[in-house]
Amino acid sequence: MVGGLVAGRLALVTGAGSGLGRAACQVLSREGATVIAADKNYNAAVETIKTHTALASGANDQDHMAVELDVSDSTAVRNLLDTVMKQSKVPPTIIVNSAGITRDNWLLKLSEQDYDSVLNTNLKGTFLVMQTFAKAMTEAGLPGSIINISSIVGKYGNMGQTNYAGSKAGVVAMTQSAAKELGKYNIRVNAILPGFIDTPMANAVPEKILQGMLKMVPLGRLGHPSEIAEVIAFLGSNKSSFVTGAAIDVTGGF
């Protein structure tokens, strides 16, 4: 599209194959960005580009790129940067860290493997992507915006999610620290804490438990992924030029 909140910007979105990441690609492309959709599931990332992103922007889907990425693998993250630099000559200046997984269980039953896998993806993965691409922005002398997806669970906790809650609380603290370090380079870093959103992750919650959760949401419904994506687009744009180090609840009032 011509114009838009982030017109002419290059955006990297992790976890782009579904849920919030897919919605972020859709809204950012609608607002004029060229999108790199990264996901561990390459076919899902391709689907995001072909079926959602190109349609939203009205652009040819060749303007956007789908890539396979395991965010917990530092070599894979560096290789992605190299690929982007060869193709675009400049690093993305909007980074959306949306890749995340759950491996739920009671604290007394949670395996070390399930603890590690969640922390490696949700927290370490966010760190690796943020570090790698922020360094590229500083070396190119470009201002930028990093948006890290946390969760309201990281603020209040949730039964059966000690690993997930710990990872998402860590994302907020890491965001606030990074904002303090990167401000001198005019790179802003913010976190979004979604509440209960209609995504594949929420669909895995048993209906009885989900209904109990909704009773705690004043707006009385699940959020839509696009309602998070609109906040992502705002934080990626110059409309939020004095917002950094923030942790923004988008929860329907939960």
Side-chain angles (χ1 to χ4, degrees), residues 200-217:
M201 201 176 282
N203 294 339
V205 177
E207 182 64 24
K208 185 176 180 180
I209 294 175
L210 190 61
Q211 290 305 316
M213 290 175 171
L214 288 178
K215 290 178 182 177
M216 297 185 284
V217 180

Side-chain angles (χ1 to χ4, degrees), residues 19-75:
L20 302 184
R22 175 168 283 179
C25 290
Q26 199 164 3
V27 171
L28 288 169
S29 64
R30 185 199 71 199
E31 293 297 329
T34 299
V35 171
I36 304 162
D39 200 282
K40 198 170 183 178
N41 183 336
Y42 175 69
N43 290 334
V46 170
E47 179 69 15
T48 292
I49 294 298
K50 288 192 172 181
T51 307
H52 300 272
T53 305
L55 293 177
S57 63
N60 188 306
D61 62 11
Q62 292 179 353
D63 293 341
H64 307 292
M65 181 179 9
V67 295
E68 182 177 349
L69 177 66
D70 178 354
V71 296
S72 68
D73 182 342
S74 59
T75 300

